[in-house]
Amino acid sequence: MRSDVTRNLGRTAAMAAFVFSTVLGTHCVQAQTYPNRPIKLIVGFPPGGSSDATARLLATALADKLGQPVVVENKAGANTVIATQYVRSQPADGYTLFSVSSSFAINPALQKLNYNIYKDFTPVALLGVIPLWLVTPNQVPVKSVGELVSLAKAQPGKLAYASYGAGSAGHLASELLLSMTKTNMIHVPYKGTGPAIVDVIGGQVTMMMPTVASSLTLVKEGKLRAIAVSSSKRVSAVPDVPTIAESGVPGFELVAWESIQVAAGTPPAIVFRLNTAIRDIVASPGFREKLIKLGIEPETKMASNDVAKFIRSEAEKFEKIIRERNIKAE
């Protein structure tokens, strides 16, 4: 009896080892031959925006690096949820990449989703962070964060601020600033950055926190006043603009970012190859310069597991702001 049990256990162990070695061998072969056909890079926004522009830059460079075409496909809608659902449904073989922004980590705290950003996806690389900045109309007599806070506290609940959508990074950054400075302002959400900035310039709202790239030209032309940036360090494109943290709100930091993800289950060797290729691309001087012009501070140090930790940390930060400030999706 005991010998039968022993033989059965032996056969089970042998079968498990065979299956494991077969799967491992398959993954190794896949990694060695990857890529041998075109790759899709999915973007959750329409063509023409900064996320789309960044993805197209990467697609061109990645195609040269890997020796296969990388085709950008835009699947806009539902604040990137449609694109996220699509990528989750694709084979986990490294031939469908997903360009994600911070909305990827914000959405789970705003709505019920039929996917899990941790279980259904594997981070590949972080291209860089996208600083926001605090801008005001020229009609508003403030030139620093302290002056803006004083103005708002003198008129509690009467001044308004714009965002490019409820639950956007700009909305969360504004609410974080109000919370940390114990200030009260009215939120006015817009359908996109363009319409919001028009009303900021016109003085209909007191402030806004768009990305640096989306409003840099307007600031340089003197149509908007830049007060401070939202990142922990000053921004390469505007080194003379102080951070919010150094402007009297210590510890303040909230940025957007761009990351590449794949469906969970993609062979680790393929993830590693993609991570290495993308980090090499971002580290190249020419590509770095292009990212900086798009308002992105390049990141080249993170391996895939570091990106996973970063995104989890960001999601927890976003969830805390959304919960404490009772932010609702549109």
Side-chain angles (χ1 to χ4, degrees):
M1 177 72 172
R2 186 173 298 171
S3 61
D4 290 341
V5 171
T6 302
R7 280 195 296 272
N8 288 337
L9 288 174
R11 282 195 292 267
T12 300
M15 180 60 71
F18 172 76
V19 171
F20 176 77
S21 63
T22 300
V23 171
L24 182 62
T26 300
H27 283 181
C28 288
V29 170
Q30 288 175 336
Q32 289 171 1
T33 60
Y34 175 87
N36 56 22
R37 55 187 169 87
I39 296 170
K40 295 184 295 186
L41 177 55
I42 307 302
V43 179
F45 297 99
S50 59
S51 291
D52 178 71
T54 304
R56 291 180 187 278
L57 279 177
L58 178 63
T60 299
L62 199 56
D64 290 340
K65 191 81 171 176
L66 299 179
Q68 288 290 340
V70 179
V71 182
V72 174
E73 293 187 9
N74 300 86
K75 294 188 180 296
N79 197 29
T80 73
V81 171
I82 289 175
T84 309
Q85 291 172 329
Y86 172 79
V87 174
R88 186 193 59 165
S89 71
Q90 297 302 292
D93 55 10
Y95 287 94
T96 302
L97 311 183
F98 188 21
S99 176
V100 306
S101 65
S102 44
S103 57
F104 180 76
I106 292 172
N107 286 335
L110 284 177
Q111 55 188 302
K112 290 184 178 180
L113 302 168
N114 62 357
Y115 58 82
N116 184 298
I117 64 171
Y118 306 119
K119 295 179 180 179
D120 295 332
F121 298 90
T122 297
V124 172
L126 185 70
L127 300 182
V129 299
I130 306 172
L132 312 175
W133 57 357
L134 179 57
V135 298
T136 63
N138 291 322
Q139 302 93 309
V140 176
V142 299
K143 294 184 178 180
S144 69
V145 174
E147 290 178 359
L148 178 63
V149 170
S150 296
L151 179 67
K153 286 186 174 180
Q155 305 176 59
K158 293 184 179 180
L159 302 183
Y161 76 88
S163 81
Y164 45 92
S168 63
H171 181 196
L172 300 190
S174 299
E175 286 294 325
L176 179 61
L177 178 63
L178 296 179
S179 174
M180 293 181 71
T181 58
K182 296 179 171 55
T183 308
N184 183 21
M185 295 178 72
I186 300 168
H187 175 223
V188 182
Y190 289 78
K191 291 186 179 297
T193 300
I197 285 181
V198 168
D199 277 6
V200 178
I201 293 173
Q204 282 82 9
V205 288
T206 302
M207 73 166 211
M208 181 181 175
M209 292 187 70
T211 63
V212 172
S214 67
S215 44
L216 180 58
T217 300
L218 294 171
V219 169
K220 287 184 174 181
E221 291 175 349
K223 296 178 181 178
L224 284 173
R225 181 183 295 123
I227 303 297
V229 296
S230 69
S231 48
S232 60
K233 299 178 181 179
R234 295 197 181 197
V235 177
S236 303
V238 285
D240 294 334
V241 180
T243 67
I244 292 175
E246 68 181 292
S247 301
V249 192
F252 185 97
E253 180 187 14
L254 193 146
V255 294
W257 36 266
E258 293 287 347
S259 167
I260 300 298
Q261 304 268 331
V262 290
T266 299
I270 290 179
V271 174
F272 177 79
R273 181 164 190 202
L274 287 167
N275 173 271
T276 302
I278 292 172
R279 287 165 67 183
D280 287 346
I281 289 168
V282 176
S284 64
F287 196 86
R288 285 179 62 85
E289 184 65 27
K290 290 175 182 178
L291 287 184
I292 290 171
K293 286 183 179 179
L294 286 172
I296 300 174
E297 296 290 287
E299 168 56 53
T300 60
K301 297 179 180 179
M302 291 190 187
S304 175
N305 62 325
D306 297 319
V307 182
K309 293 175 184 176
F310 171 81
I311 290 179
R312 186 175 287 274
S313 174
E314 288 289 285
E316 290 171 353
K317 178 193 297 184
F318 296 147
E319 193 276 333
K320 184 174 185 288
I321 298 169
I322 290 167
R323 183 183 69 251
E324 292 181 351
R325 303 297 288 182
N326 194 30
I327 294 172
K328 305 293 184 183
E330 293 177 323

